[in-house]
Amino acid sequence: MVPRPYYSERGDHIDSKTPVTVSRYRGFTRINHWITAATLILLAISGLALFHPSLYFLTGLFGGGQITRWLHPIMGVVLFFSFLLMFVQLWRLNMPKPEDVTWTTRIGDVVKGNEDKLPELGKYNAGQKFVFWAMTGLILLLIVTGVMIWQQFFAHYVPVPMRRIAVLLHALAAVAILLVFILHVYAAVWTRGTLRAMTRGTVTGGWAWRHHRKWLREIASRDTKGPAE
Ligand code: HEM
């Protein structure tokens, strides 16, 4: 049996055309990612609309206050399952590795773009892993507290004092996930050549060499040995 790759997915591969491109995400993962992203954005808008009277006007985007209140928790369930599907695909390569500690302690060089001073990395750097685990924890907290305050179905199961704590935690988790979301989008745009990984599914060979060399090396050695399966 062929051993599981350590830094890459089985489907990742190099296309030796000019310029060289490397497959990073298959179509299924990209659709899954964009459904997750769209759901989170809609949840943020509808959540803000329900959060404070000054933002109530945002309910107009969903067809009014009642529809927003009905739709928000349903979208929350969609986000939970959509992210769960991403989690199953991505958790293994987001596990911490020794080089993540070095990368984090040299964050100054990351910001300055001194990649030559940083360790070689697998498919994800420590920042991406932080975003992944933060989103995982916060989505779990949001779904648990969200169900607890879902009056339509669960009003009789949760005592009022507990519901109050759930509301507070739900709002705090929502603010936190928005900050993580901004960090994620900023990093994706700021690191040139990254966005196409989630739009076209590929990155250039140069991008892979510069940012995720261990990932590239593993795919290259696998591809020269022939297909992994
Ligand atoms: C408009 C908003 C978003 C943009 C532009 C965006 C962009 C991207 C890009 C370019 C990547 C590929 C990065 C790489 O492979 O190096 C990525 C990966 C990823 N995105 Fe997003 N994203 C957005 C929203 C979201 C949301 C809302 C979530 C989750 C709630 C999310 C979760 C992830 C995860 C888990 C990965 C894989 C990286 C990892 O596992 O560490 N993204 N995103």
Side-chain angles (χ1 to χ4, degrees), residues 74-93:
I74 293 175
M75 290 190 295
V77 174
V78 174
L79 175 78
F80 175 73
F81 283 108
S82 184
F83 189 83
L84 185 64
L85 208 54
M86 285 193 81
F87 182 88
V88 172
Q89 298 167 69
L90 300 168
W91 72 270
R92 210 176 52 88
L93 294 181

Side-chain angles (χ1 to χ4, degrees), residues 28 81 109 133 140 158 171 175-176 183 193 200 203 218-219 225:
F28 178 82
F81 283 108
D109 288 318
W133 290 108
L140 263 179
V158 187
V175 172
L183 181 69
R200 285 185 255 173
V203 289
E218 186 173 87
I219 309 167
K225 281 185 212 137

Side-chain angles (χ1 to χ4, degrees), residues 79-156:
L79 175 78
F80 175 73
F81 283 108
S82 184
F83 189 83
L84 185 64
L85 208 54
M86 285 193 81
F87 182 88
V88 172
Q89 298 167 69
L90 300 168
W91 72 270
R92 210 176 52 88
L93 294 181
N94 277 291
M95 291 307 280
K97 303 260 157 64
E99 58 268 28
D100 294 330
V101 179
T102 322
W103 187 91
T104 310
T105 53
R106 301 210 188 130
I107 195 74
D109 288 318
V110 176
V111 176
K112 285 186 221 146
N114 294 339
E115 242 101 4
D116 46 323
K117 297 204 179 125
L118 300 169
E120 294 191 0
L121 299 175
K123 188 159 180 170
Y124 299 115
N125 64 39
Q128 291 172 298
K129 290 178 185 178
F130 165 77
V131 167
F132 178 81
W133 290 108
M135 281 174 169
T136 303
L138 290 167
I139 288 173
L140 263 179
L141 186 57
L142 283 163
I143 193 77
V144 170
T145 53
V147 165
M148 287 170 77
I149 58 177
W150 199 348
Q151 298 277 70
Q152 191 182 351
F153 299 117
F154 303 102
H156 302 300

